[in-house]
Amino acid sequence: MAVENTLSIIKPDATKRNLTGLINAKFENAGLKIIAQKRMQLSKSMAEKFYEIHKNRPFYNNLVDFMISGPIIAQVLRGDNAVNLNRTIMGATNPQEAEEGTIRKEFAESIEANSVHGSDSLENAHVEIAFFFSDIELIY
Ligand code: IDP
Ligand code: MG
């Protein structure tokens, strides 16, 4: 399997409840390495741009407001099959549909406040990592 980098975000619902360590333990226990990390307060324009792909969805405005409601952690996870492995560890978007042991099953508050973001393809991972980090900030 190929070694990949993927973008992970710990969302405001999770930073507010002090869950960053418990969430990152799940990534590290699964063999993913955190090779870059920053805690940030997103501006409205940054959140709008990051989620631009969802601009026409009915939940877009609420999603942007949620993403700026508190600090986030933007981070890059690296490992074998990192894009899909991260999505598996996260669980389904709707926590009610998420598998036991996943982050969203254990920690998400709702389909919106679902604790984590993860890139959904290698191509999007490259774009999303570049949104937050320059190459020299990725420390293998
Ligand atoms: P994903 O985060 O599992 O990839 P996406 O469909 O890409 O899910 O949606 C992006 C984010 O938008 C979700 O993580 C969630 O925070 C929010 N979201 C998705 N669907 C809904 C919905 O039906 N109602 C409210 N918020 C939603
Ligand atoms: Mg998505």
Side-chain angles (χ1 to χ4, degrees):
M1 252 178 295
V3 176
E4 299 170 347
N5 293 344
T6 192
L7 186 81
S8 164
I9 298 176
I10 302 179
K11 295 184 178 181
D13 67 285
T15 61
K16 279 183 183 163
R17 287 176 291 148
N18 231 11
L19 294 172
T20 64
L22 288 176
I23 287 171
N24 279 335
K26 289 194 180 283
F27 295 134
E28 294 189 332
N29 287 340
L32 291 170
K33 189 169 181 179
I34 301 165
I35 62 162
Q37 193 175 51
K38 50 179 89 155
R39 183 176 175 95
M40 318 171 60
Q41 172 64 53
L42 288 182
S43 66
K44 186 160 190 173
S45 61
M46 266 190 99
E48 284 171 345
K49 182 133 195 291
F50 184 76
Y51 278 119
E52 200 160 35
I53 190 171
H54 294 309
K55 195 167 49 192
N56 295 319
R57 307 284 287 279
F59 57 79
Y60 177 72
N61 287 328
N62 285 341
L63 174 61
V64 168
D65 286 344
F66 163 62
M67 290 300 289
I68 66 173
S69 68
I72 61 145
I73 314 285
Q75 54 192 13
V76 179
L77 307 178
R78 180 175 175 82
D80 279 336
N81 196 28
V83 172
N84 285 326
L85 178 55
N86 178 36
R87 297 288 308 194
T88 301
I89 298 164
M90 289 164 57
T93 309
N94 183 347
Q96 293 185 343
E97 293 165 10
E99 301 277 340
E100 288 298 330
T102 62
I103 290 167
R104 285 166 164 174
K105 177 73 178 187
E106 277 185 35
F107 301 126
E109 293 181 318
S110 67
I111 190 169
E112 175 183 80
N114 59 6
S115 304
V116 279
H117 166 85
S119 306
D120 62 5
S121 68
L122 194 54
E123 191 188 349
N124 284 338
H126 287 135
V127 174
E128 291 180 356
I129 289 168
F131 187 87
F132 288 105
F133 299 95
S134 63
D135 283 349
I136 58 166
E137 292 178 298
L138 310 183
I139 315 297
Y140 296 2

Short mmCIF file of all heavy atoms in Angstrom, two decimals, residues 51 54 87 117-118 120, ligand 2:
data_model
loop_
_atom_site.label_atom_id
_atom_site.label_comp_id
_atom_site.label_asym_id
_atom_site.label_seq_id
_atom_site.Cartn_x
_atom_site.Cartn_y
_atom_site.Cartn_z
N TYR A 51 -14.94 25.05 2.41
CA TYR A 51 -16.13 24.23 2.12
C TYR A 51 -16.87 24.68 0.86
O TYR A 51 -18.05 24.37 0.69
CB TYR A 51 -17.07 24.23 3.33
CG TYR A 51 -16.67 23.22 4.39
CD1 TYR A 51 -16.34 23.63 5.68
CD2 TYR A 51 -16.64 21.85 4.13
CE1 TYR A 51 -15.98 22.70 6.66
CE2 TYR A 51 -16.30 20.92 5.09
CZ TYR A 51 -15.97 21.35 6.36
OH TYR A 51 -15.63 20.43 7.32
N HIS A 54 -19.35 22.67 -1.12
CA HIS A 54 -20.71 22.46 -0.59
C HIS A 54 -21.57 23.72 -0.66
O HIS A 54 -22.63 23.77 -0.04
CB HIS A 54 -20.64 22.00 0.87
CG HIS A 54 -20.03 20.64 1.06
ND1 HIS A 54 -20.43 19.54 0.35
CD2 HIS A 54 -19.02 20.22 1.87
CE1 HIS A 54 -19.70 18.49 0.72
NE2 HIS A 54 -18.83 18.88 1.63
N ARG A 87 -10.60 8.08 6.96
CA ARG A 87 -12.07 8.07 6.83
C ARG A 87 -12.69 6.92 7.62
O ARG A 87 -13.77 7.07 8.20
CB ARG A 87 -12.47 7.95 5.34
CG ARG A 87 -12.04 9.11 4.45
CD ARG A 87 -12.80 10.38 4.65
NE ARG A 87 -14.23 10.22 4.58
CZ ARG A 87 -15.09 11.26 4.46
NH1 ARG A 87 -14.64 12.51 4.39
NH2 ARG A 87 -16.38 11.05 4.43
N HIS A 117 -13.00 16.44 10.37
CA HIS A 117 -13.03 16.45 8.91
C HIS A 117 -11.89 15.56 8.42
O HIS A 117 -10.84 15.50 9.05
CB HIS A 117 -12.80 17.87 8.36
CG HIS A 117 -12.49 17.89 6.89
ND1 HIS A 117 -13.49 17.89 5.93
CD2 HIS A 117 -11.31 17.83 6.21
CE1 HIS A 117 -12.92 17.87 4.73
NE2 HIS A 117 -11.60 17.83 4.86
N GLY A 118 -12.08 14.92 7.28
CA GLY A 118 -10.99 14.19 6.64
C GLY A 118 -11.12 14.26 5.14
O GLY A 118 -12.23 14.14 4.60
N ASP A 120 -11.42 13.33 1.33
CA ASP A 120 -12.15 12.15 0.82
C ASP A 120 -11.48 11.50 -0.39
O ASP A 120 -11.98 10.53 -0.92
CB ASP A 120 -13.60 12.52 0.51
CG ASP A 120 -13.73 13.58 -0.57
OD1 ASP A 120 -12.70 13.97 -1.16
OD2 ASP A 120 -14.87 14.02 -0.83
MG MG B 2 -16.37 15.66 2.83
#
